[in-house]
Amino acid sequence: MQSIKLNFQVSHSLAELFTYTLSALGAEGVTTVDREELAGLYDGRPALNYAMDDYLASLPEEARVEAYFKPAQPWAQVAENNQVLVDLDRDYQAELYEPEHTQPLSLKALLALLEDKVQIFQENLGGSCSFEGAEIIEDEDWDHQWQEFYQPLRLSRRLTVCPSWLSYEPDPEEMVLKIDPGRAFGTGYHESTELCLKALDDLAYDQPAFFQEARTLDLGTGSGILAIALAKLGARHIEAVDIDPDAVTVAQENFQGNQVADRIQAATGELNQLKGPYHILVANLIAKLHIDLAEAYPHYLAPGGYLILSGIIDEQFPKVRQAFAQTDLVLEEARLKHDWWTLIFRKLDA
């Protein structure tokens, strides 16, 4: 079996969104080796640090991303004609071809699509991305080898994320979220998702009765990981919304795989299409969207309700804080990991 491997160097701030975009464009698999992410995973685990120091020091500052695509032709013709077979998502498909057809896409065109996406990401997250070349892979097992990069990861007091292809025996108090990387945004291996999960776990632990009866919303659900966490932690009334119908489909599959589908209402939509009010609203988006929604968020919160916002890179934090200073929400806590902030607001009782 032949596959084409595309190599990229990407800043840590862009790595997860870039990986998701590659998957959405039809990559059969994507691997990321990110020094900053790995350092965070092993932080606080002294028994493992001695084995990681030299390896981390050998890695480049930027993340190394490898994406695998199916060639439309034998490699010699691909090299000559610059064609790869890409199963485009619906938006790109509609722009380039008739929706019912999928045609081979040139590598040049694929890179141009990625460049357009990266420019949008950079406006909000900064960072850089560079294409480092392509090569042919003759390996029947490449589509399984990338899975070796992912292992179970304890992210909070009780929550552990684990890929579906691994068997894992949790501790009695541990709750396992089965999420496969790549198909939708949000896997738990990024600081913004991790901080959200910790905030939800803390709230559920400190106020279990409130948490169980709360009407909750996961806005921009992506993979559905936060909605799954809400359900695993005991919430009974959960809505999960995303503007991307493909993400909603993936989220629903993940709800089924985690045996929580009966407790989550999933739909395609935006905040202004919802009714509210919610007692817990969690949104792992980007800073610009939080700023745009700053005046709207309070109208969707019940008195005493919590708003948990994530996906805020450090350089955007002052702008977000300034936008929310004009609202009646009180910032109860701001949590930082590396360059990423999660903010916990509360709407005071009337």
Side-chain angles (χ1 to χ4, degrees):
M1 179 181 69
Q2 287 189 332
S3 297
I4 299 173
K5 183 174 76 169
L6 308 183
N7 302 296
F8 302 89
Q9 293 281 355
V10 186
S11 296
H12 174 71
S13 61
L14 301 177
E16 188 174 21
L17 273 172
F18 185 69
T19 298
Y20 165 53
T21 301
L22 286 165
S23 296
L25 284 171
E28 298 287 314
V30 184
T31 66
T32 304
V33 180
D34 185 344
R35 184 175 70 178
E36 190 168 339
E37 179 182 73
L38 289 171
L41 294 180
Y42 286 90
D43 186 31
R45 297 167 173 83
L48 299 175
N49 284 346
Y50 76 93
M52 290 295 294
D53 289 344
D54 290 344
Y55 175 62
L56 291 175
S58 71
L59 296 177
E61 182 176 345
E62 293 192 328
R64 184 172 68 243
V65 177
E66 299 173 350
Y68 299 85
F69 287 88
K70 293 288 188 182
Q73 307 164 332
W75 174 245
Q77 295 178 40
V78 170
E80 179 181 353
N81 301 324
N82 217 12
Q83 300 285 312
V84 295
L85 181 59
V86 178
D87 184 15
L88 294 172
D89 69 25
R90 280 199 289 267
D91 290 340
Y92 284 133
Q93 185 91 350
E95 291 176 11
L96 295 177
Y97 310 119
E98 292 298 322
E100 64 271 17
H101 298 297
T102 299
Q103 299 183 23
L105 183 67
S106 73
L107 180 56
K108 181 178 180 180
L110 174 61
L111 294 175
L113 291 176
L114 286 169
E115 184 177 1
D116 290 343
K117 280 288 189 181
V118 167
Q119 287 179 351
I120 296 172
F121 301 158
Q122 287 174 320
E123 291 174 4
N124 297 283
L125 303 174
S128 62
C129 176
S130 61
F131 174 60
E132 302 294 320
E135 57 187 295
I136 191 67
I137 300 297
E138 295 277 4
D139 189 339
E140 294 290 340
D141 296 322
W142 72 263
D143 52 338
H144 299 295
Q145 290 176 356
W146 67 271
Q147 296 179 350
E148 297 176 5
F149 284 83
Y150 295 94
Q151 298 297 323
L153 181 64
R154 187 77 168 257
L155 294 174
S156 70
R157 189 195 314 256
R158 294 173 292 179
L159 296 174
T160 292
V161 64
C162 180
S164 64
W165 60 81
L166 294 178
S167 59
Y168 178 70
E169 190 65 34
D171 296 335
E173 76 283 0
E174 195 173 4
M175 303 171 189
V176 178
L177 314 178
K178 287 284 189 176
I179 300 290
D180 290 345
R183 291 195 61 202
F185 183 74
T187 63
Y189 294 89
H190 190 274
E191 296 93 333
S192 59
T193 310
E194 177 185 349
L195 290 171
C196 277
L197 293 171
K198 286 182 176 178
L200 291 175
D201 196 355
D202 290 345
L203 183 57
Y205 186 85
D206 294 337
Q207 301 184 54
F210 167 81
F211 197 90
Q212 289 173 10
E213 297 304 322
R215 187 181 177 200
T216 63
L217 172 65
D218 175 13
L219 181 65
T221 192
S223 67
I225 186 171
L226 299 181
I228 294 168
L230 285 165
K232 296 272 188 178
L233 291 166
R236 298 173 182 170
H237 314 285
I238 308 166
E239 295 177 37
V241 174
D242 202 292
I243 62 172
D244 181 357
D246 292 330
V248 174
T249 298
V250 172
Q252 289 173 320
E253 293 172 2
N254 287 332
F255 300 156
Q256 292 283 351
N258 284 272
Q259 293 81 48
V260 295
D262 59 330
R263 280 179 281 166
I264 304 173
Q265 296 181 0
T268 303
E270 302 181 46
L271 184 62
N272 61 13
Q273 297 171 315
L274 306 178
K275 292 183 178 180
Y278 300 96
H279 301 93
I280 301 171
L281 196 167
V282 58
N284 183 14
L285 305 173
I286 59 174
K288 182 181 185 302
L289 291 178
H290 292 317
I291 293 170
D292 292 343
L293 293 170
E295 294 184 2
Y297 278 134
H299 300 291
Y300 292 88
L301 277 183
Y306 290 88
L307 175 66
I308 302 171
L309 305 182
S310 198
I312 303 165
I313 200 165
D314 187 50
E315 64 187 46
Q316 296 291 330
F317 172 67
K319 295 179 181 179
V320 175
R321 189 163 187 173
Q322 182 180 6
F324 281 84
Q326 312 302 318
T327 73
D328 60 355
L329 300 179
V330 176
L331 180 60
E332 289 208 333
E333 192 174 354
R335 301 182 180 185
L336 175 68
K337 182 169 184 180
H338 300 141
D339 290 330
W340 297 89
W341 288 92
T342 289
L343 308 181
I344 304 173
F345 293 92
R346 194 168 191 192
K347 185 173 184 177
L348 297 179
D349 293 332

